[in-house]
Amino acid sequence: MRADARRNRERILEAAEEVFAVAGPDASTEEVARRAGVAIGTVFRHFPTKADLLRALMKRLLQQVTDDAAELVASGDPAGALFEFVARLVERTAANRAVVNLLAAEGMEVPITGPLGSLSDAVGELLARGQESGAVAARIRLDEVMALLVSACQGALHGGWDADLRRRTLGIMLVGLRPSP
Amino acid sequence: MRADARRNRERILEAAEEVFAVAGPDASTEEVARRAGVAIGTVFRHFPTKADLLRALMKRLLQQVTDDAAELVASGDPAGALFEFVARLVERTAANRAVVNLLAAEGMEVPITGPLGSLSDAVGELLARGQESGAVAARIRLDEVMALLVSACQGALHGGWDADLRRRTLGIMLVGLRPSP
Amino acid sequence: MRADARRNRERILEAAEEVFAVAGPDASTEEVARRAGVAIGTVFRHFPTKADLLRALMKRLLQQVTDDAAELVASGDPAGALFEFVARLVERTAANRAVVNLLAAEGMEVPITGPLGSLSDAVGELLARGQESGAVAARIRLDEVMALLVSACQGALHGGWDADLRRRTLGIMLVGLRPSP
Amino acid sequence: MRADARRNRERILEAAEEVFAVAGPDASTEEVARRAGVAIGTVFRHFPTKADLLRALMKRLLQQVTDDAAELVASGDPAGALFEFVARLVERTAANRAVVNLLAAEGMEVPITGPLGSLSDAVGELLARGQESGAVAARIRLDEVMALLVSACQGALHGGWDADLRRRTLGIMLVGLRPSP
DNA sequence: TATGAATGAGCCTTCATTCAT
DNA sequence: CATGAATGAAGGCTCATTCAT
């Protein structure tokens, strides 16, 4: 792929991220092209289908989020890592509607590369470390954490809450993860 | 308004509830008309805009939910009422996509009638009673409860979770509302 | 269906016949709408798909042609009927590209009503009568007549032949149908 | 023109022949490029327009067909040559949609080189020899033969007829060329 | 008032053609 | 010269909304 093509591909993805972030996946591809400063044909050359574009977007986000998790796994703070991860994800969602879709995506099937094979693996790792360190109750299961993640992120999308309210609410939601004293 | 007109209005709302419940707000107005057994023109005569129809729907749901809350307020179980309310709302959402929008609606501006002036008032009342009874921590604020409600309901919309996972996750999310022992 | 709707449907079909007659089936639906003096949505309301429109057109033509055949069957000139029919069809094709497609259509599946159940039946009847009367050789089979029909009509579509050349050529092509003296 | 350029031109024409043979003239130029193993720009450098490419293709085919005729002229079987030629052309058409267009081409204007100046000349020669040998009726004119050719080839394009039906139908169509006994 | 046909903007996608690399 | 990315005009189709019946 030529340099300018790669550059355009990147610009399209960035434009798409912005557009879908505010308008959701129903935003028009034309709008993406406009924002990217390319013709509509160019978008479809890079992503033959609107679904392909969305998929590529998901993949990017998924990679970022999973890398984030991997980093926290390696951070040497097993007790706080899971909580920190959730907090980051929620904040990220508040700024990008697309994030939440990737959590809820069913057949998205976008394999990611790196130390952890998937987002679930990554969160599972964070969960395990948290439990080993005693910061997370042993009774908590991975599916519950994932569901909680989705809920928290979905919530962050709506209501125009400020960062403070988001933080307080999340704090409450996470109490249940800790071991009962 | 003539009797048959009012009857049509009601049928349209019911059809809309069913349609939007399963297909979300992107379902076509034509589908609503079809399900209601009226012509498309009739729908637009009653609700000049699709947004108006959705708004009316929200109002109905809001009324139902608020009435539900009012009933719980009067039920004489101050300790459990808030928790019960949240649980009901989440289950209702899982069966009706529209519910969640009503929680997140921004400028919805749909005044409701009855003992409690708004959903916030109703939840506020449940919160106050819960705190008085000692079942809910005094530090919890209303905006946090509302945000938690939105998050839980949004979550219930996605992922195809079964009722069991929904219940477990909700249980974890609500731990933080209780007083620390 | 309302009167104006039926009128529009008819106008669309007529416009479509004209448009597809000169430009073939690749002509745009928009052009049809323009020629019919209606908006594009109206065309799609009557014929949900371009294929549906073409199919309706085929059906109309098929009906006309089959009726034509039925009339000739009843005309009391068994010896000449088949030849007359072929000649008429070829002339019709020369003025309407669509005709030929209807002969070549594979899964078109447009049942027609009337004395003869299908075009093949109609031609078969003409063939049988011709053979009984001795004007057509007994060795000729229906599939050969149909194929000959397609060839003659296809030919009539091209080359800008004048009516005279068409007539002469057809005359030559039909000699083979007659019994060898 | 450089050697590699000429080589590319040839590869494009061959690819085009294959592609248009099966998909007709609506096949995409990109597909031709792909099949030829060159970039799309190369196709347009050699043939500034899709129509130019088709025209060049026609010319090639025309040359082949005319050469075929010339060969038959020289074959020493004046009685059978015209019939053989028609049969070959029909079979060629059944395997190559493009052939028929070259017969029907209006302002194609593609002068061909070789013993016979044009396809018409070639067929005229076959006709003349056939008539001299007594195998073809004297009353037959060249334009009739050409028209018959077009019809037979057009027919061969459609209906999914098998080789047997094609042969039988052609047999019938050609009877009229022979002298009446 | 109800009906449902008509409207037309807008969406996704394709493809001949141009042009920077 | 070749490459292949970019362009942008259509095309088929959908759907909220309007309006004649």
Side-chain angles (χ1 to χ4, degrees), chain C:
Chain C
M1 191 189 286
R2 271 194 289 173
D4 57 341
R6 197 187 322 279
R7 197 161 47 244
N8 264 345
R9 191 191 143 93
E10 202 50 36
R11 288 174 67 188
I12 290 167
L13 276 175
E14 256 148 42
E17 188 157 339
E18 292 167 31
V19 169
F20 293 131
V22 306
D26 288 353
S28 89
T29 312
E30 204 103 28
E31 177 61 31
V32 172
R34 197 153 33 238
R35 173 95 59 140
V38 301
I40 183 65
T42 303
V43 176
F44 279 93
R45 158 172 276 267
H46 286 282
F47 308 95
T49 275
K50 186 181 183 178
D52 289 328
L53 174 56
L54 285 168
R55 202 144 36 222
L57 223 50
M58 296 291 96
K59 186 169 176 178
R60 248 166 82 104
L61 276 172
L62 196 49
Q63 190 68 58
Q64 290 170 14
V65 169
T66 309
D67 287 353
D68 201 19
E71 192 185 311
L72 283 169
V73 164
S75 74
D77 171 22
L82 178 59
F83 300 94
E84 172 67 14
F85 174 71
V86 174
R88 283 190 197 175
L89 196 55
V90 168
E91 285 311 305
R92 204 195 283 258
T93 301
N96 187 341
R97 293 187 62 152
V99 176
V100 76
N101 293 319
L102 122 165
L103 290 168
E106 293 167 64
M108 206 44 104
E109 291 293 332
V110 278
I112 56 182
T113 68
L116 282 337
S118 73
L119 183 59
S120 263
D121 286 356
V123 176
E125 192 61 35
L126 290 169
L127 173 59
R129 308 261 175 138
Q131 289 175 321
E132 281 165 25
S133 78
V136 174
R139 81 189 114 79
I140 301 296
R141 300 198 217 151
L142 179 55
D143 61 354
E144 293 160 358
V145 177
M146 294 303 293
L148 200 147
L149 220 46
V150 170
S151 295
C153 288
Q154 287 283 3
L157 275 185
H158 297 271
W161 308 335
D162 59 24
D164 182 52
L165 176 53
R166 270 201 305 275
R167 210 172 312 118
R168 284 186 280 127
T169 307
L170 186 58
I172 295 171
M173 288 175 61
L174 296 180
V175 169
L177 295 184
R178 302 192 178 274
S180 1

Side-chain angles (χ1 to χ4, degrees), chain B residues 77-142:
Chain B
D77 172 22
L82 178 60
F83 299 95
E84 172 66 15
F85 174 73
V86 174
R88 283 191 198 173
L89 197 55
V90 168
E91 284 311 305
R92 205 198 282 256
T93 300
N96 187 340
R97 298 188 58 152
V99 175
V100 75
N101 294 318
L102 119 164
L103 290 167
E106 295 166 59
M108 206 44 102
E109 290 294 329
V110 279
I112 56 181
T113 66
L116 281 339
S118 73
L119 182 60
S120 263
D121 286 357
V123 177
E125 191 61 33
L126 290 170
L127 172 60
R129 308 259 175 140
Q131 290 175 319
E132 280 166 25
S133 79
V136 175
R139 80 190 116 77
I140 301 297
R141 301 199 217 150
L142 178 54

Side-chain angles (χ1 to χ4, degrees), chain A residues 24-178:
Chain A
D26 288 353
S28 89
T29 311
E30 203 105 29
E31 176 62 30
V32 172
R34 198 153 33 238
R35 171 96 59 140
V38 302
I40 183 66
T42 303
V43 176
F44 278 90
R45 158 171 276 266
H46 286 281
F47 308 95
T49 275
K50 187 181 183 178
D52 288 329
L53 175 56
L54 285 168
R55 204 144 36 222
L57 222 50
M58 295 290 95
K59 187 170 175 178
R60 247 166 81 104
L61 277 171
L62 197 50
Q63 190 68 59
Q64 290 170 13
V65 169
T66 309
D67 287 353
D68 201 19
E71 192 184 309
L72 284 168
V73 164
S75 74
D77 172 22
L82 178 59
F83 299 94
E84 172 66 15
F85 174 71
V86 175
R88 283 191 196 173
L89 196 54
V90 168
E91 284 312 305
R92 205 196 282 259
T93 299
N96 187 342
R97 291 187 63 152
V99 174
V100 75
N101 293 320
L102 86 113
L103 290 168
E106 293 167 63
M108 204 45 101
E109 291 292 332
V110 278
I112 55 181
T113 67
L116 283 336
S118 73
L119 184 59
S120 263
D121 287 357
V123 176
E125 192 61 33
L126 290 170
L127 173 59
R129 307 259 174 140
Q131 291 175 319
E132 280 165 26
S133 78
V136 175
R139 82 192 114 77
I140 301 297
R141 301 197 216 152
L142 180 54
D143 61 354
E144 294 160 356
V145 177
M146 294 303 292
L148 200 147
L149 221 45
V150 170
S151 296
C153 288
Q154 286 283 4
L157 275 185
H158 298 271
W161 309 333
D162 60 23
D164 182 52
L165 176 54
R166 273 201 304 276
R167 210 171 312 117
R168 284 185 279 127
T169 306
L170 186 58
I172 295 170
M173 288 174 63
L174 295 180
V175 169
L177 295 184
R178 302 192 178 275

Side-chain angles (χ1 to χ4, degrees), chain A residues 2-26:
Chain A
R2 273 193 294 183
D4 57 341
R6 195 184 327 276
R7 197 161 44 245
N8 265 344
R9 192 191 143 93
E10 200 52 35
R11 288 175 67 187
I12 289 167
L13 276 174
E14 256 147 41
E17 189 158 338
E18 292 167 30
V19 168
F20 293 131
V22 306
D26 288 353

Side-chain angles (χ1 to χ4, degrees), chain B residues 31-54:
Chain B
E31 176 63 32
V32 172
R34 198 152 35 235
R35 173 94 60 140
V38 303
I40 182 69
T42 304
V43 175
F44 276 87
R45 162 167 286 273
H46 285 282
F47 309 94
T49 274
K50 187 180 184 179
D52 289 329
L53 174 55
L54 285 168

